[in-house]
Amino acid sequence: MNLSTLRELYKEPACSHNAAKKDAACPRPTPGKAAGGCSFDGAQITLVPITDAAHIVHGPAGCVGNTWNNRGALSSGPRMNRMAFTSDISNNDVVFGGEKKLYKAVREIIAKYSPPAVFVYQTCVTSMIGDDVNALCKAVREKTGTPVIPVDAPGFTGTKNFGNRLAGDALLRHVIGTAEPATPHPYNVNLIGEFNIAGELWGILPLLDRLDIRLICSLSGDARFGDIAKMHRADVNMMVCSRALLNVARRMKEKYGIPYFEGSFYGASNTGAALMKIARIIGNKALVSKAEALVNEETQRIAPELKSLKERLAGKKALLYTGGVKSWSIVGALQELGMKVIATGTKKSTEEDKARIKELMGDETVMISEGAPRKLLQVFHESGADVMLAGGRNQYTALKARIPFVDVNQERHTPYTGYDGHVRFGEAVAGAIESPALAIARRPCPFGEI
């Protein structure tokens, strides 16, 4: 990827983070500061959930063992993406080049598995030795007729979030707009940044179905390659999670005139607001009325369960340490349950996310930018919190400190989106606080100090 393209992606104009700075630019990589994932990792997180495509890593075999597989992005059908392919670059290939090896590997994958597409990921090693992945993908595509998509996102390019953006750029250049839906439909929507963690997309689909809104594509949870190619026929794009794919929504608006907005399906209020926003942007009065009726019906349906949960959680305090859209949307979900959020993490939040947090929590908001265990526990105990909600890596901090914990990040196994998801979320929080195991764990050791 040339430098002018990289600069354009760094300066994404629709990013509020850039808009707040005098010299527009997203955070750039700092030598020796790769913690949290690199661009290659971010690109895989975005694209590997395209479940029917083959994904091959052009680099050393060790690059296949990255962190994307820790995310619980589920598929309702194909599992081609679970196959791990690599060109397995060796020291000899570093000297003489690895293009021939990659060409042979891609041809072999197409011949053996006949995938609808193959994504080829550039890595640090093959990028530095100068392998031309773009030209190779074009050659294989012309030879076989199978789309072969270059993903030029070597790890040294930047952060994980920047890798998300590079992956979106690859889709915009090579996939979106290359196919048409088989049948027309009056209402169409794309969900951008919905990764179907623990099956959360499947809690949203029934709501869209009841409104007769067709989901063209969820980018990229439970996604199919052919659906991504048809995304340009949507009436509205909803940014669900991570504004790192903002370039996709912004450029689809410029190229195809598709409006977009950022919303959330965490919490009953956020879910209702998102459905109403989709209906209003589409602009059909009958659809808006239908959405209002659905929101009212669902709100009343779960009201008895929420009432019971509110009684159990009234006055309880929560420490939330997560990132992105969850940093504000889960705050709202906790407040709906009658809880007080005493602090929230903002490490991966945008300026807009932080503004929403202040709107929800007030000017006295405690924002935690770095979640070192000592800092989290200090805030937890000083504020008298009852439960910690964070990612999987923080659960050991909570376990060692013998405090209630709920996993709200990508490693979790329980879906929390939609109305039923909100009830599940409340039950998880209440269950953690009331767990009898904690009372046992907090008892003094019967054998005394060891």
Side-chain angles (χ1 to χ4, degrees):
M1 182 172 288
N2 58 49
L3 285 176
S4 63
T5 304
L6 282 175
R7 289 195 188 100
E8 180 187 342
L9 289 167
Y10 272 125
K11 296 179 180 178
E12 171 55 50
C15 177
S16 57
H17 175 264
N18 282 345
K21 289 193 170 184
K22 185 178 179 182
D23 298 319
C26 283
R28 299 193 179 195
T30 304
K33 194 176 181 182
C38 62
S39 292
F40 167 70
D41 188 24
Q44 284 217 309
I45 286 170
T46 301
L47 299 176
V48 175
I50 302 172
T51 58
D52 56 350
H55 303 264
I56 178 168
V57 175
H58 184 38
C63 288
V64 179
N66 56 77
T67 58
W68 82 267
N69 200 29
N70 294 335
R71 304 168 69 89
L74 302 183
S75 169
S76 61
R79 294 176 60 83
M80 186 70 210
N81 62 328
R82 309 303 296 185
M83 299 283 286
F85 298 109
T86 175
S87 55
D88 190 19
I89 291 297
S90 64
N91 291 342
N92 204 42
D93 300 317
V94 171
V95 176
F96 296 103
E99 291 178 358
K100 288 183 179 178
K101 206 169 186 180
L102 176 63
Y103 182 85
K104 184 180 177 184
V106 177
R107 291 293 303 270
E108 187 175 337
I109 290 169
I110 293 172
K112 190 170 183 179
Y113 299 101
S114 301
V118 179
F119 286 87
V120 179
Y121 298 82
Q122 183 74 283
T123 59
C124 296
V125 172
T126 51
S127 181
M128 286 191 287
I129 64 176
D131 281 0
D132 192 343
V133 170
N134 286 281
L136 184 141
C137 290
K138 184 181 178 183
V140 179
R141 184 165 59 245
E142 291 174 351
K143 193 81 173 179
T144 63
T146 300
V148 183
I149 316 301
V151 185
D152 201 357
F156 59 70
T157 312
T159 62
K160 183 172 70 177
N161 281 353
F162 190 64
N164 298 152
R165 198 173 293 175
L166 290 170
D169 184 72
L171 295 177
L172 286 162
R173 290 175 185 274
H174 302 285
V175 186
I176 295 173
T178 58
E180 296 294 332
T183 57
H185 194 278
Y187 316 129
N188 302 282
V189 66
N190 292 321
L191 302 180
I192 297 177
E194 167 51 59
F195 295 106
N196 196 32
I197 300 298
E200 290 193 326
L201 172 65
W202 303 327
I204 303 166
L205 288 178
L207 300 172
L208 296 177
D209 286 343
R210 288 171 64 183
L211 295 175
D212 198 24
I213 295 174
R214 178 171 66 178
L215 175 68
I216 291 186
C217 181
S218 172
L219 180 62
S220 53
D222 199 15
R224 308 290 185 270
F225 180 78
D227 294 338
I228 294 173
K230 301 165 190 167
M231 285 179 68
H232 63 297
R233 291 305 180 194
D235 299 294
V236 55
N237 282 330
M238 176 176 169
M239 296 289 302
V240 179
C241 180
S242 177
R243 292 173 65 82
L245 281 171
L246 192 59
N247 60 323
V248 175
R250 192 260 304 170
R251 286 169 62 181
M252 287 183 73
K253 182 180 180 182
E254 292 173 355
K255 188 172 183 180
Y256 304 108
I258 303 173
Y260 68 90
F261 73 99
E262 185 177 18
S264 169
F265 289 109
Y266 293 118
S269 295
N270 287 333
T271 301
L275 294 174
M276 291 303 304
K277 187 89 175 181
I278 292 171
R280 287 180 181 134
I281 290 178
I282 291 174
N284 183 283
K285 290 183 179 178
L287 178 62
V288 173
S289 299
K290 199 172 180 178
E292 287 176 345
L294 172 65
V295 170
N296 290 333
E297 181 184 334
E298 288 295 301
T299 303
Q300 292 175 13
R301 181 177 65 81
I302 65 170
E305 293 171 281
L306 285 186
K307 182 182 177 184
S308 172
L309 286 168
K310 285 178 182 177
E311 290 172 356
R312 293 165 63 186
L313 294 171
K316 302 292 185 184
K317 297 178 183 177
L319 167 63
L320 176 64
Y321 184 73
T322 181
V325 68
K326 293 194 294 294
S327 62
W328 59 265
S329 58
I330 290 186
V331 170
L334 289 166
Q335 290 175 337
E336 277 189 72
L337 294 168
M339 299 184 70
K340 181 179 180 181
V341 183
I342 50 94
T344 184
T346 56
K347 186 177 180 180
K348 298 176 183 176
S349 302
T350 64
E351 297 301 319
E352 191 170 288
D353 291 331
K354 294 175 184 175
R356 292 188 179 188
I357 290 168
K358 286 185 178 177
E359 185 181 340
L360 287 166
M361 297 172 61
D363 293 332
E364 303 301 320
T365 303
V366 177
M367 295 189 190
I368 307 173
S369 57
E370 293 294 335
R374 186 184 296 274
K375 173 69 176 177
L376 289 179
L377 292 177
Q378 180 186 354
V379 175
F380 185 91
H381 291 301
E382 287 180 353
S383 61
D386 297 285
V387 61
M388 179 189 295
L389 299 97
R393 72 183 67 175
N394 298 111
Q395 67 177 317
Y396 304 105
T397 301
L399 285 171
K400 289 176 182 176
R402 291 171 286 186
I403 60 178
F405 178 80
V406 177
D407 187 352
V408 291
N409 271 8
Q410 63 267 16
E411 302 91 353
R412 67 184 181 279
H413 300 287
T414 306
Y416 294 137
T417 53
Y419 294 95
D420 291 322
H422 185 47
V423 174
R424 273 193 296 274
F425 176 67
E427 289 172 344
V429 176
I433 294 174
E434 298 166 355
S435 173
L438 285 170
I440 298 172
R442 288 168 179 165
R443 289 177 188 167
C445 176
F447 308 107
E449 294 294 330
I450 298 176

